[in-house]
């Protein structure tokens, strides 16, 4: 699994961090997503896919 984010689409809602805190974080200054692990292990797959579904800006792409 590979995770791709588009910082230009991110609105800083933080739903990704709530869903998968081991993979996503937010910048302190503006709340824009920070990708901590672009290649998360399979056991985090469900959380990462949930984060992508929750993102209101569709800024997260999950490639399998």
């Amino acid at each position: 699994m590979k995770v791709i984010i588009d910082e230009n689409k991110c609105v800083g809602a933080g739903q990704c961090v709530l869903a998968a805190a081991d993979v996503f974080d937010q910048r302190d200054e503006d709340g824009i997503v920070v990708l901590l692990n672009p290649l998360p292990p399979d056991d985090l797959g469900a959380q990462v896919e949930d984060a992508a579904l929750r993102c209101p800006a569709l800024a997260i792409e999950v490639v399998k």
Side-chain angles (χ1 to χ4, degrees), residues 30-56:
D30 57 8
I32 298 300
V33 65
V34 173
L35 185 59
L36 300 175
N37 186 355
L39 301 170
D42 289 342
D43 63 327
L44 294 178
Q47 294 175 21
V48 171
E49 289 183 9
D50 185 41
L53 291 173
R54 290 177 181 228
C55 179

Side-chain angles (χ1 to χ4, degrees), residues 8-34:
N8 294 321
K9 288 184 177 179
C10 180
V11 296
Q15 296 300 307
C16 56
V17 179
L18 294 174
D22 291 335
V23 179
F24 303 100
D25 199 355
Q26 292 177 278
R27 293 192 303 227
D28 290 336
E29 62 272 17
D30 57 8
I32 298 300
V33 65
V34 173

